[in-house]
């Protein structure tokens, strides 16, 4: 009886073991089939899609931000904007104290009036010097006439002296008369020399007057009261002063959102020091860092699909590659990697690409600088 009961139990256990092995084989077959199907699906995906697409999640929003810097140093008397405030190009941002600029304009206007007056004075001086030259010409004529008279007196005195000296031997001329003739000749000779000196003096005076006239004419020749160099320089200073006054009104250079405002009412701002930044949200782009092996087939102009963590995968931006960076991120870092050492280990480098986005999509779903993005490039358009 015991042997009869044991036999059915052994057969039951063997049947159970066979069932478990059969079930295990079934699951193994199913798992193998699933792996094969997955491999086939992946192969088809790679052949039809995967090999023509590369992607990265190492991408961030960036923009050509405008730094607002005052062009004059002055005290801020009115600040019209705050951080996160949207502005349009030309909107008033900050007003600076215009007092110094207004004083500079008044000084420049006075300098301009003085320059015009000096030019008119120089022109009047030329007329006066021209009259003096004419007067010096008359002096020369007068001096030459005096010289001719002195020459005539000299010749008469010389002839009289010669006659009297010729009659001395005959006793026809007294010693007193001879002495008077000699004295008259000496006086005529001195008068002739003085007349010659007078002509030379008149000519020299006339030459000096001519030189002064030419020098004064050189200051006004070819110019008018509005084209004189000193007047033009005064006008330039006036324009500069007016420009400084205009620069006390600081306006938005572009459309965007105010960020990093660093100016307060009453603060004295320095020329060239940034007081705020404006981010153009309608012109942002994406800097995507791709591994160097991913870039073998990438070309400028290729289409790109971009998604943002801000909106999720439901919002897809369409863009295109517009350029490659001039160097990898590590080479452009503050402390570049030194790979010449003996313990160098190769590290896959990433090269930034710039992706330009569709403005209409940006307007519908605005982005902010620094947001993380996922970028996928379509290589099938090579």
């Amino acid at each position: 009886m015991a042997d009869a009961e044991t036999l059915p139990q052994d057969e039951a256990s063997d049947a159970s073991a066979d069932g478990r092995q059969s079930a295990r084989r079934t699951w193994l077959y199913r798992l193998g089939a699933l792996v094969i199907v997955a491999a086939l699906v992946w192969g088809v995906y790679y052949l039809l899609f995967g090999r023509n697409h590369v992607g990265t999640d190492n991408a961030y929003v960036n923009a050509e931000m405008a730094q607002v810097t005052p062009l004059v140093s002055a005290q801020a008397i009115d600040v019209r904007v705050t951080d996160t405030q949207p502005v349009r190009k030309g909107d008033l941002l900050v007003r600076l104290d215009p007092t110094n600029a207004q004083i500079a304009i008044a000084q420049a206007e006075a300098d301009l009036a003085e320059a015009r007056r000096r030019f008119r004075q120089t022109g009047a001086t030329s007329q006066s010097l021209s009259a003096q030259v004419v007067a010096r010409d008359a002096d020369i004529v007068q001096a030459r006439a005096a010289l001719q008279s002195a020459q005539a007196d000299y010749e008469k005195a010389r002839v009289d002296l010669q006659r009297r000296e010729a009659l001395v031997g005959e006793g026809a001329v007294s010693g007193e008369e001879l002495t008077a003739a000699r004295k008259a000749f000496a006086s005529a000779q001195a008068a002739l020399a003085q007349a010659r000196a007078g002509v030379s003096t008149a000519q020299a005076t006339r030459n000096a007057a001519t030189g002064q006239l030419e020098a004064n004419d050189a200051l006004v020749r070819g110019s008018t009261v509005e084209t004189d160099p000193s007047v033009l320089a005064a006008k330039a200073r006036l324009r500069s002063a007016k420009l400084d006054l205009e620069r006390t009104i600081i306006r938005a250079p572009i459309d965007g959102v105010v960020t990093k405002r660093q100016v307060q009412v009453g603060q004295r701002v320095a020329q060239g020091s940034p007081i705020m930044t404006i981010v153009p949200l309608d012109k942002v782009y994406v800097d995507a860092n791709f591994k160097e092996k991913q870039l073998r087939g990438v070309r400028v102009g290729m289409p790109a699909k971009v998604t943002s963590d801000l909106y999720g995968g439901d919002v897809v931006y369409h863009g295109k590659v517009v350029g490659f960076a001039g160097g990898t991120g590590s080479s452009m870092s503050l402390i570049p990697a030194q790979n010449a050492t003996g313990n160098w280990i190769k590290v896959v480098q990433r090269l930034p690409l710039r992706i330009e986005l569709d403005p209409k999509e940006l307007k519908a779903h605005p982005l902010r600088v620094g947001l993380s993005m996922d970028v996928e490039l379509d290589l099938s358009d090579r």
Side-chain angles (χ1 to χ4, degrees), residues 156-374:
K156 179 178 181 301
R158 184 179 65 80
V159 171
D160 289 344
L161 178 60
Q162 288 177 352
R163 287 176 180 175
R164 284 170 174 71
E165 287 178 343
L167 297 174
V168 169
E170 298 177 0
V173 177
S174 65
E176 181 179 356
E177 186 177 356
L178 180 61
T179 301
R182 288 176 176 173
K183 183 178 179 181
F185 175 74
S187 297
Q189 190 176 25
L192 178 61
Q194 184 176 3
R196 288 172 177 171
V199 172
S200 299
T201 300
Q203 290 176 341
T205 303
R206 195 253 187 198
N207 291 337
T210 302
Q212 291 178 357
L213 176 61
E214 291 178 352
N216 201 79
D217 281 344
L219 298 176
V220 296
R221 187 181 299 118
S223 300
T224 65
V225 70
E226 297 301 327
T227 61
D228 179 64
S230 60
V231 174
L232 294 177
K235 287 182 177 180
R237 289 192 295 271
L238 179 58
R239 286 195 298 270
S240 177
K242 290 182 177 179
L243 183 61
D244 287 343
L245 179 61
E246 293 177 1
R247 287 172 173 172
T248 59
I249 304 297
I250 302 177
R251 300 185 181 276
I254 59 173
D255 298 345
V257 174
V258 176
T259 307
K260 297 171 61 177
R261 198 199 78 175
Q262 303 174 19
V263 59
Q264 305 293 335
V265 175
Q267 175 184 348
R268 180 175 177 81
V269 297
Q271 180 180 359
S273 298
I275 59 175
M276 68 183 67
T277 301
I278 298 179
V279 181
L281 298 184
D282 59 339
K283 296 181 180 179
V284 298
Y285 51 84
V286 175
D287 284 333
N289 301 288
F290 282 89
K291 296 178 181 179
E292 46 193 325
K293 291 184 178 180
Q294 294 178 298
L295 300 177
R296 293 174 181 173
V298 178
R299 300 290 183 271
V300 173
M302 284 185 171
K305 292 183 179 180
V306 184
T307 58
S308 170
D309 293 347
L310 178 64
Y311 298 108
D314 294 336
V315 177
V316 178
Y317 298 89
H318 297 84
K320 63 180 179 179
V321 178
V322 295
F324 295 79
T328 63
S330 61
S331 66
M332 296 298 175
S333 62
L334 184 61
I335 304 178
Q338 296 295 327
N339 297 330
T341 58
N343 59 351
W344 170 73
I345 298 176
K346 181 177 179 179
V347 178
V348 177
Q349 300 297 311
R350 290 180 180 268
L351 184 70
L353 272 65
R354 179 158 296 183
I355 310 296
E356 185 180 83
L357 302 178
D358 187 349
K360 295 181 179 178
E361 296 175 346
L362 278 176
K363 186 176 181 180
H365 298 90
L367 295 172
R368 297 296 188 271
V369 172
L371 291 178
S372 299
M373 307 293 285
D374 291 326

Side-chain angles (χ1 to χ4, degrees), residues 105-126:
I105 288 177
Q107 181 63 51
E109 289 175 343
D111 292 342
L112 177 58
E114 177 66 20
R116 287 170 173 164
R117 186 175 65 178
R118 283 197 302 267
F119 181 83
R120 295 189 183 98
Q121 182 179 3
T122 303
T125 302
S126 293

Side-chain angles (χ1 to χ4, degrees), residues 58-76:
N58 189 354
Y60 307 93
V61 179
N62 208 339
E64 298 293 337
M65 295 175 285
Q67 281 194 339
V68 180
T69 57
L71 299 179
V72 294
S73 298
Q75 183 183 30

